[in-house]
Amino acid sequence: MTRTEKVFLAILSALLAATLAADLLGPSCSDERPEPLEVAAYYAQDSLEALNWTRLTFLDSLSRGRLDTVIIPYRKYFVECADSIGWDWHMLAALSYHESKFDLNAVSRKGAVGLMQVTPPTAGHYGIYDLHDPRQNILAGALNIKNMVWRYRRIAADENELFKFTMAAYNAGAGRIKSCFEYAAERGIEPHYWDEIGALIPDMEDFKGVETIDYVDTMEEVYGLFRQIK
């Protein structure tokens, strides 16, 4: 056998061995996710695979009325924690979807962590230290909301306005919203409606609150969709 023939056989043997190994081991790991057979495959269970579907058309399914296809990850914790503060669990779930797309490992540029995007100092204020535990994360978010509800209940004109003030504070921080009230007071305004605050924000020098105004509007829409879930 010539040297060329030996080299050819060696290459052929290597190729066959690689093919056999691939068949035995199956497809290699990658970041690619399998395409769903149908939209109904969003969340089969509270698992990593289930959470991988969150970046698909979840809200599109709701808006089309396909409520039978929607399963909320960690639903039992949303219900439990919402009950503990006297609020609707759909609101907590909607907030988590808007904040993190139900991603327990999400971390924002400002250091907010997990499902409810709570910062460690805020969670620590409520005696919660494991923000990668789904129940503790949701509870931290719920307790933060409870604190904000207490702040704005005597101010808001009704429950809907209370929701708006609370969402604004969740996004911008209670300190920022306090500055908005102080700015309104300087102009002789005692706002009981979020739109009254929203109208003043563009004139404020120390708070560019366009993002917060959009946040409140979006949360109204998302919450409206989530409330359809049985």
Side-chain angles (χ1 to χ4, degrees), residues 25-180:
L25 296 175
S28 61
C29 296
S30 71
D31 291 331
E32 295 181 1
R33 295 171 182 156
E35 291 296 323
L37 297 177
E38 55 180 320
V39 178
Y42 291 145
Y43 311 111
Q45 55 189 345
D46 289 350
S47 66
L48 180 60
E49 290 157 49
L51 299 180
N52 280 342
W53 296 115
T54 58
R55 286 164 176 51
L56 299 178
T57 53
F58 182 87
L59 292 185
D60 180 65
S61 182
L62 286 179
S63 65
R64 293 173 184 272
R66 299 189 60 180
L67 304 183
D68 59 323
T69 71
V70 178
I71 301 174
I72 305 296
Y74 312 113
R75 174 169 173 162
K76 61 182 178 182
Y77 297 142
F78 288 121
V79 173
E80 175 189 340
C81 295
D83 286 347
S84 72
I85 65 170
W87 269 46
D88 181 7
W89 74 266
H90 298 87
M91 185 277 293
L92 281 185
L95 183 57
S96 177
Y97 177 84
H98 188 43
E99 286 284 337
S100 69
K101 300 296 186 294
F102 299 131
D103 184 355
L104 185 60
N105 298 310
V107 179
S108 76
R109 289 175 295 178
K110 296 182 179 180
V113 178
L115 298 170
M116 304 299 291
Q117 288 293 278
V118 182
T119 63
T122 297
H125 176 74
Y126 301 112
I128 293 173
Y129 301 101
D130 186 1
L131 287 174
H132 291 286
D133 176 85
R135 182 184 179 279
Q136 291 190 50
N137 193 291
I138 294 170
L139 181 59
L143 292 174
N144 199 29
I145 287 170
K146 181 180 180 180
N147 181 40
M148 294 171 183
V149 168
W150 177 83
R151 289 172 181 265
Y152 306 123
R153 184 170 292 283
R154 62 183 177 81
I155 298 172
D158 53 36
E159 290 296 314
N160 188 49
E161 294 304 312
L162 178 60
F163 170 80
K164 293 179 184 179
F165 283 126
T166 301
M167 292 300 98
Y170 201 93
N171 174 253
R176 284 292 190 186
I177 303 306
K178 180 182 178 182
S179 296
C180 292

